[in-house]
Amino acid sequence: MSEFKKKYYISHEEKACETNCTCSDLPSVEDAKLTAGFTRRSFLKTSGFSFAAFMVACSKTPVQKAIPFLIQPEEVLPGKAIWYASTSFACDAGCAVHVKNRDGRPIKLEGNPNHPMTQGGLCAQCQASLIELYDSKRILVPQLNGNKSDWKTVDKTVVKHLRKVRDAGKEIIILTGTVNSPSLLHTIKKFKKKFKTVSHVHIDDYSYSAILDAHEKNYGQRILPKYRFDKADFIVSIDADFLGSWVSPIQFTKDFQKNRKLDSKQISKLIQVESRMSITGAKADERIAMTPTEMKSFMSDLDAIIQGEMGTNPHAKKLAKMLKHHRGNSLVISGINDIKIQLIVNRINQNLGNVGRTLDIKKPSRLFAGSDSSIHSLIAKIESGMVGALMISGTNPVYILPKGEQFASSMGKVDLCISFSDMQNETTANCNVIAPGLHDLESWNDAEQTTGILSMTQPVIRPFGENRSLRQSLSTWMGLKKDERDLVRNYWKKVFTSRVKSGKTFTRFWNELVHDGFSTISSKRKLLTRFKDQQVKIDTRQKNELELVLFQSSQMGHGRHAENPWLQELPDPITKLTWDNVASFSPKTAGAYHLEKGDLIEIISGKIKIKLPVFIQPGQKNNTVAAALGYGRKGTERFHEIGPNWLEKKDTVKKGETVGSSVSSMILFDENFQYGGLPVTIEKTGKTWDLALTQTYNTLTNPEKTSPASMPVRPFIQETTFNKIQKNPTAGSHHGHPITTLWEDDHTYEGHHWGMAVDLSSCTGCSSCIVGCQVENNVPVVGKDEVLRKRDMAWLRMDRYYSGDGENVDVSFQAMMCQHCDNAPCEPVCPVLATVHSSEGLNQQIYNRCVGTRFCANNCPYKVRRFNWFDYAHDDVMENMVLNPDVTVRSRGVMEKCSMCVQRIQEAKFEAKRLRVPLKDGDIKLACEQSCPADAIAFGDLNDPESRISKMTQSGRHYKVLEELNVEPTVGYLTNVRNRDADEGKGEHHG
Amino acid sequence: MDKGLNKQFSYMIAMLVIIGFVMIFKNSTFHIPGNQQDYAPEQPIAFSHQLHAGEMEINCQYCHFGAEDSKHAGIPPANVCMNCHKFVNNTFNETRLADQENREPIASSEIAKIYASLGLSILGEKVSSGKPTEWVKVHNVPDFVFFSHKPHVNAGVDCAKCHGDVSTMTRVKQVEDLSMGWCLDCHRQDHKSLQNSAGRTAQLQDCASCHY
Amino acid sequence: MANQISVREPQIHGNKNHADVTQDVCNIMDRKPTWLWWLGFGLALSALALGLVSVSYQIATGIGTWGLNKTVGWAFDITNFVFWVGIGHAGTLISAILFLFRQKWRTSINRSAEAMTIFAVICAGLFPIIHMGRPWLAYWMFPYPNFRGPLWINFRSPLAWDVFAIGTYLIISATFWYFGMIPDLATVRDRAKSKLKKFFFGVLSLGWNGSFRVWHRYETVYALLAGLAAPLVVSVHTVVSFDFATSAIPGWHTTTFPPYFVAGAVFSGFAMVLTLMIIARKTLQLEDYITLNHIENMTKVIILTGGIVTLSYATEFFMAWYSGNGYEQFVFLNRALGPFAWAYWIMVGCNLITPQFFWFRSIRRNVVLVFILSIFVNIGMWFERFVIIVTSLHRDFLPSSWSMYTPTWVEIGTLIGSFGLFFTLFLLFIRTMPMISMGEVKSVLHYRGNGDNQNG
């Protein structure tokens, strides 16, 4: 213990550092292991709740060491956060971030509001990627044939091999996820020059190849257009979950909202055609459920009708009419990775004259470059033994490819397989060399996600291990020794004149680039040919009994973050499911097959069988079964231990089992990766499976057996349509009878009066706010069993309610956190004054005063209080470094809840005091508010009439949940507005 | 019969009396857990605030420069010490005395420690890599209390108000008991500099101004 | 004597004289415990042991070892608490109120009823402490001078009121019980053979010498204490009911709770007294002292209080319907027809049906039946509290957080443990203290209830 006690610093704040503030005294992985035994003690240390000191105090004074810097760097001040602009590539799109760095440790990622793409939004994956930096299971030294090694030997062997391969005339293949880093592409180019037989293959976790190929056929360039949802007035999305997981959801959400301003004359209209229930489908103004095969015929009909030919499909007729009406400012997109469909999509957009207006092919997106055909040929090459060396970076082919095992075995044919992953995964297992790469927060990097916009990534902490970026490894093997920074910087120095048209000096440009995190650069225009129409024949004859639909969930993607506990416990926005993937059926289909929720079934296609628990999903298309990709990853066995340990504990996963099960093998891989439409059969196993759902009652309609006549539906979600709101700004928002009270108001807020509002019609339910809150406030991960027992700890939950029935279902989201009531029911009942009202309208929970009677939680009408049932694990010293030192880590037996990020409020006040200026509206941004890509959450001072929050509160759409109880919540909601004709209002809540 | 009774009865009275006495004369040097008043640990370097802050009248924030903009006032890094001790490496008045007795001034063993921490010999040449000095923290508040120097310093609270008059201390001692009650003594008063628009300082008594 | 016509049967059967009474009562303490006592004591102790294991495991590991969740924050813990407080009510009612009403029949049961009260309150008092997340800080519930500003307790909190209500109740009823026992303790002292016993009871009996003056003072103070204790019978459970009545949760937020709870408490209290007394009179051969009359009287009280309880249930439903408040209506529909309907119907069955049997004299005087029925009442009253607490919580306002509740073995162990503690204490009591108030019984010897009191 003692030696790691010395190293361990989180509790005493001034910590020893070398001159540059990347801490030498961070505990090494060994320490983390070493402490594994000392759960209780290490908890005391790390929790920041220095009980130990407390106990000792009775007898003698505890000695706390304070260790100053030896030589203190100017900008670094212990206890003061420093922010760095950077870019995180945790999600496929990559989010521009500001990294909060406290005492040398990055502890929070926040969206970079100035960045033209993500515009301050931040996805759940990027938020949560933070904890992967502190993952004690990372590979921190290079490995040779499965044993730890050092760079010297590794480099030697690799180079020797590569030379051998080159001389043998065999191929060296660099297999990466899409690389849009100019400097890295440059390095690879040089690498090709050095070792002649090199070829670089892109493979995307989730393939968009068809779109690019279609554009190649139509416009002569393999590009992914830049979609302009901010310009489109009428959007038809066929199975493209662009608000949740398709291409660049955060950017799209931001853009989409721009054209949904309810105060304007008109807003865009979104029609979603899909089989499963997606976030986009939930948000859609109209949603049409179709099976994948139906979609194909629908598409050809739609196309036909727009061209003025005959079409039978009624939906197609209707939509075609609307699309024609919105010529030039409509947008048709499709997530179906099938070149035929994409050719049709292109033709439709071309015919409607949308190209160049709602979708930009001149300055295309560079997010995805993967080509399915080249993967075909790659596999062929490897099979045939033409490949002498295979370098795999930023992808996990053995897992994501349908025939992963086959790929793995064929990797055996390659004498040198190098993986650059810093985590063990399915692929590294088959590589003889592991040259571990860097986490985004440790590395220098650049990216041109969209043509003309350069995003920058800079390290905010010194690498934990000896890891090297792919860039550096390659250049080392080419024989040029340069450090990470120079490799990137020198490239830009070289191309500065050609690519950056500006009067600035390079140094100035570079400093601004690193400071802002992005810069605009020029790019040579793609020479596009005129639209060359392609004839496509779609056979609409086929009819399937049951079709499989595979999709990426917004939090888990294609499994890259499977070992991230925050994402595993983040409830799926739609299903509210944690720690599992499921086979979901529509209620009707489930009935037809006599399936109950939780039945364990086998999905069978040919020889392939996959075990999945059944889930009943309202709104899903009948005769389809939907399952999420990205589960069943190797490495998730680690979660066997997670969660508090006690007699009746059920393990999150059984020993040696993975979280969920992989459905990659069900991806149909003909000319493209087909994620939908695979005909399958199912078989019951007779077994059942526990599904850890955070919400088990799914509608606002009372169960009819116990439903009182006076209130069949509960009025918590209040919604209306755009036309109604045009006529009457208060449409849809119902207010209870005015309450007369005997008591005079005992809270007079002379200073500030903090309040919050959530705009339900902006909120897409993407749930990145939940992760944001979790990271900011040290909310623990509790494991599947605790979630099953309804003891999830998230302070902010995303309530999801269905209305309507069958395939025709509306989904409404409601972010629910402590409502900070002015007449809070929790306050009078606490016997020890552990929860009291602040002079600024906050409902404060004082952990160290709480004795844990739970009366407050019982008496809370919103049930937003969370109790620490156990001492939640804080024994991984590495992981504990992610804790926010400004927020107490709650011990067992105390109540906790949303504090409206009081630490941020305080910090902002202190800063204002230092600068001798009053607080401005927007100075304080809460963790949830900050990360919201839809800007649905607003926080501010209700006493300031000019503040955004005051304006929202004045709005006619503003209402409060349970206002009739006279608890006077300071958190309000704005009605959910859908852009649909009133008569279409199907499942509108209490119409 | 009655005698017997009274005897037994008086036994009981006696017992009660004894218990009573134990209650009254219980150990009077009882110390509330967590109260570290008068805590004055020995420091690795016998640094005298009396000399620096007192006689030399060096401003507190010259060394503790974190106080204005950070949670922590901070303990000066060695490079700050060296601003002066680059030139001063012997004890107070030693130079003058040495001159009078015309001899070489004797270098101070304490100042030597600063040099050592930087890996320098007393004459200033690099000898080792150096390692920071591990000071003993004197003023501690429990970790569930959020204390930041920033607002206090900016509100013009005098350092001595909480730390006592360190300029008279050769070894720093905790003067106040740093109990919650003690904090509130201040927070309950109306401070001009802290007033909000309505001239109230109520927010200073909010629990969440220190506990979160 | 021959021409003496007895209008009623005597309070005490078997023509006892004073010596017999002393003999019979003290015998229970003097003679070696019967195998029956040992059996009972063994069972009680092992139950208590189970309870100790459960509680210590819970305190060492966390409240998580209970089946509670973010929606249902209380279940067995507070159910048991209210249940035991309720049990505690009969004692004071019998000893204080019936005393003030000069109900002579109370004399032979009041002592043990009071003892029962105290033990029940002890059991009850444990739960508020062990149900805390951090029981080691339980002392924060008391207002005491401190260095925190000072920081006091929240006098608005019903839980804080509980602390005082229960505290007062325990102290007063303990004093009352002990004070009433002094003359008998003196008797025991005088009969005691062993030195130790003599000394022990000597100290306890505060030098009682049975003189007229002492008796006179004693009677006065006893009356005064009775007057002091009487209002507590009402106040305590009223305060306990505030825990729910003052809350905002539909099903708790009910103004009828105070009378409802008090009636329920007396209801269950008497049932428990019956259960104990019937066992006692059988195993300790006290049929002459605890006669069928006593049992019958108590069953009559049960009919009355049972009636009030029934009325309360009806009122709740009526008010829910009459209020027109959807949430309120939902909660009560949910009680009767929701997932916890089974608990609700057990409650209704035990508390509404059972008392009705007592309309029949034959049943009232049938010891075995009364015993069984009394047990049913106890079960019913436990479930009443369970229904009120759990069904109100598990489906309150926002459907998103609706959930179910299932107890863990730890909770069940704790419940059993509390019974263990109760019976252990009671069994020890009947071995070590005069369980029938000799002094008072002697005063009603040959008392024929119609006023003409003649000593034969």
Side-chain angles (χ1 to χ4, degrees), chain A residues 48 64 78 80 844 888 911, chain B residues 69-70 72 137 143 150 208 212:
Chain A
Q64 285 202 17
K80 190 173 197 301
Q844 322 165 95
T888 312
E911 187 62 16
Chain B
D69 193 16
S70 168
H72 314 293
K137 207 157 171 283
D143 283 359
K150 188 171 176 175
Y212 49 81

Side-chain angles (χ1 to χ4, degrees), chain A residues 13 48 57 61 64-66 68-70 78-80 750 836 839 844 846 848 886 888 902-903 906 911 914 916, chain B residues 34 36 68-70 72 75 77-79 132-135 137 143-144 150 154 194 198 203 206-209 212:
Chain A
E13 322 286 343
T61 321
Q64 285 202 17
K65 287 289 173 66
F69 283 94
L70 205 47
K80 190 173 197 301
E750 270 102 355
V836 289
S839 62
Q844 322 165 95
I846 313 307
N848 51 306
D886 292 343
T888 312
V902 63
Q903 67 277 9
Q906 290 293 85
E911 187 62 16
R914 187 176 73 87
R916 306 270 188 284
Chain B
Q36 299 179 24
E68 197 186 345
D69 193 16
S70 168
H72 314 293
I75 290 177
N79 59 326
T133 321
E134 292 193 4
W135 298 90
K137 207 157 171 283
D143 283 359
F144 53 72
K150 188 171 176 175
N154 287 300
L194 298 177
Q203 78 273 15
D206 289 342
C207 303
S209 54
Y212 49 81

Side-chain angles (χ1 to χ4, degrees), chain A residues 685-701:
Chain A
T685 61
K687 295 197 206 68
T688 58
W689 189 266
D690 296 330
L691 295 177
L693 297 153
T694 56
Q695 179 179 351
T696 42
Y697 193 84
N698 297 324
T699 88
L700 285 168
T701 320

Side-chain angles (χ1 to χ4, degrees), chain A residues 1-5 7-8 27-43 45-46 136 874-880:
Chain A
M1 287 304 282
S2 60
E3 74 274 43
F4 108 83
K5 184 177 180 183
K7 284 181 172 178
Y8 167 70
S28 67
V29 187
E30 285 66 32
D31 297 327
K33 291 208 187 65
L34 180 142
T35 57
F38 303 95
T39 319
R40 179 67 190 148
R41 261 192 276 173
S42 40
F43 164 71
K45 288 218 169 46
T46 39
S136 48
H874 285 288
D875 46 359
D876 183 335
V877 179
M878 292 282 286
E879 226 169 77
N880 286 334

Side-chain angles (χ1 to χ4, degrees), chain A residues 695-700 702 714-717 790 797 799 801 814-817 819 860-864 961-965 973, chain C residues 70-71 249-250 327 330 393-403:
Chain A
Q695 179 179 351
T696 42
Y697 193 84
N698 297 324
T699 88
L700 285 168
N702 290 321
R714 306 192 172 206
F716 302 144
I717 299 281
K790 291 289 204 136
R797 66 170 196 262
D799 289 352
Y801 298 111
Q814 185 169 47
M816 185 51 67
M817 73 299 287
Q819 305 281 298
C860 173
Y862 307 91
K863 291 287 174 280
V864 288
V961 173
L962 284 172
E963 140 188 81
E964 60 271 39
L965 291 182
Y973 295 86
Chain C
K70 64 186 182 187
T71 313
I249 299 301
Y327 305 109
F330 172 80
L393 283 175
H394 90 114
R395 287 187 169 182
D396 60 347
F397 291 102
L398 269 60
S400 62
S401 48
W402 286 0
S403 80

